[in-house]
């Protein structure tokens, strides 16, 4: 199984277009050891030619240009993207769908609550129906079971995808923003059936529920929420009144933080993704990055390739 990190930043990318924080200024001025990042998305393949796009960020065109594997030359018009799986309905994960409107009909895999948001509060699917069109495949989620059904995507032979519900809120535009529904946000357990190798992917992870902890422990690689370093990072910097938990993210530090969570697991590879532009781990020379290295935790970057 092949995985390519197309984008590794949180919403807004890095540097964020209107941000003058230490990191964004440092990258622009060359005063920190960091690289630019687009908004989070990955692609998964069994054969290296046909790919499942997981989330479609506003940066998708740049990501495709930077990823030759997604640009096969088999026909006059062609794409390596066989289908799209959506983790949630957040703007930074879905608006890239509009950039794919010139292609063939898009197979879209998402939960019913995400589909509802994308046909009501943000009616992208109605817009796309006037261009390429979409074919919806519901992702089953149920928080009253212990076993979650796996699905397979046509054209991506030998790989299964299991959607695991996460505690989270729907996007601010959602009609049910204040009434969370099962499936507003999911993690994905992705398995190569022949080898049993597994990736757990969750760019937004706010709580470690038992079924999520079990999935992370069984995975050969976890690619998980690296948004903020501290619980009060955005408040301290004066960018928001919300704590990390209010935004649906586990910070890396503090009791129950991501470092503590990952330290308790024997997973061979532990990688952070969806990194906010304010997070000091973006500076490769920072003591925060050194702390992650000491704990055996990697930081995803655009173009990172993972083979399981």
């Amino acid at each position: 199984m092949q995985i390519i990190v197309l984008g590794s930043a949180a919403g807004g990318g890095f540097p964020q277009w209107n941000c003058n924080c230490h990191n964004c200024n440092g990258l622009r001025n060359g005063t920190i050891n960091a690289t630019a990042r687009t908004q989070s998305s990955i692609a998964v393949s069994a054969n290296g030619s046909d790919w499942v796009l997981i989330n479609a960020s506003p940066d998708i065109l740049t990501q495709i240009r930077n990823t030759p594997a997604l640009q096969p030359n088999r026909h006059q018009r062609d794409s390596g993207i066989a289908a799209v799986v959506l983790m949630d309905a957040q703007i930074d994960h879905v608006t890239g769908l509009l950039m794919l409107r010139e292609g063939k009909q898009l197979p879209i895999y998402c939960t019913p609550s995400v589909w509802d948001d994308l046909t009501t509060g943000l009616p992208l699917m109605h817009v796309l129906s006037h261009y390429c069109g979409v074919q919806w495949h519901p992702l089953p989620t149920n928080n009253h079971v212990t076993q979650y059904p796996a699905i397979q995507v046509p054209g991506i032979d030998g790989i299964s995808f299991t959607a695991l519900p996460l505690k989270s809120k729907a996007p601010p535009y959602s009609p049910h923003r204040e009434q969370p529904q099962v499936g507003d946000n999911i993690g994905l357990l992705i398995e190569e059936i022949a080898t049993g190798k597994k990736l757990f992917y969750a760019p937004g992870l706010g709580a470690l529920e038992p079924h999520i902890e079990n999935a992370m422990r069984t995975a050969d690689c976890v690619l998980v929420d690296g948004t903020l370093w501290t619980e009060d990072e955005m408040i301290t910097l004066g960018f928001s009144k919300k704590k990390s938990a209010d935004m649906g993210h586990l910070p890396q530090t503090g009791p129950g933080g991501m470092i503590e969570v990952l330290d308790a697991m024997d997973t061979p590879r532990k990688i952070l993704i969806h990194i906010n532009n304010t997070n000091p781990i973006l500076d490769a020379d920072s003591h925060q990055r050194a702390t992650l290295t000491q704990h055996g935790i990697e930081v995803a970057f655009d173009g990172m390739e993972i083979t399981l």
Side-chain angles (χ1 to χ4, degrees), residues 48-196:
S49 298
D50 302 289
W51 298 81
V52 172
L53 177 66
I54 302 179
N55 291 335
S57 91
D59 299 316
I60 185 62
L61 295 184
T62 296
Q63 293 167 349
I64 291 174
R65 282 195 296 270
N66 292 339
T67 311
L70 297 182
Q71 305 169 297
N73 189 20
R74 299 169 294 196
H75 312 288
Q76 192 168 358
R77 289 283 181 94
D78 199 11
S79 170
I81 300 171
V84 182
V85 174
L86 300 176
M87 312 285 290
D88 53 44
Q90 298 290 344
I91 284 177
D92 53 315
H93 287 160
V94 302
T95 48
L97 292 172
L98 293 173
M99 300 300 101
L100 304 178
R101 64 189 181 276
E102 295 92 353
K104 297 178 181 179
Q105 186 181 56
L106 280 172
I108 302 288
Y109 293 77
C110 66
T111 66
S113 61
V114 168
W115 180 260
D116 287 346
D117 281 341
L118 297 180
T119 53
T120 56
L122 183 67
L124 289 183
M125 301 310 172
H126 292 316
V127 174
L128 287 170
S129 71
H130 296 281
Y131 296 90
C132 60
V134 299
Q135 183 181 30
W136 179 40
H137 301 269
L139 286 177
T141 54
N142 188 330
N143 63 347
H144 301 297
V145 300
T146 56
Q147 295 293 324
Y148 296 88
I151 66 162
Q152 290 186 259
V153 175
I156 310 295
D157 298 331
I159 295 180
S160 68
F161 299 81
T162 304
L164 304 174
L166 303 178
K167 287 184 178 179
S168 183
K169 280 188 174 182
Y173 68 79
S174 171
H176 63 269
R177 166 73 169 178
E178 300 305 325
Q179 293 84 38
Q181 298 181 6
V182 176
D184 284 339
N185 190 12
I186 62 169
L188 277 178
L189 189 63
I190 306 169
E191 178 177 2
E192 186 172 43
I193 298 169
T195 64

Side-chain angles (χ1 to χ4, degrees), residues 243-255:
K243 294 181 178 180
S244 182
D246 299 329
M247 300 165 65
H249 300 289
L250 280 180
Q252 275 98 71
T253 56

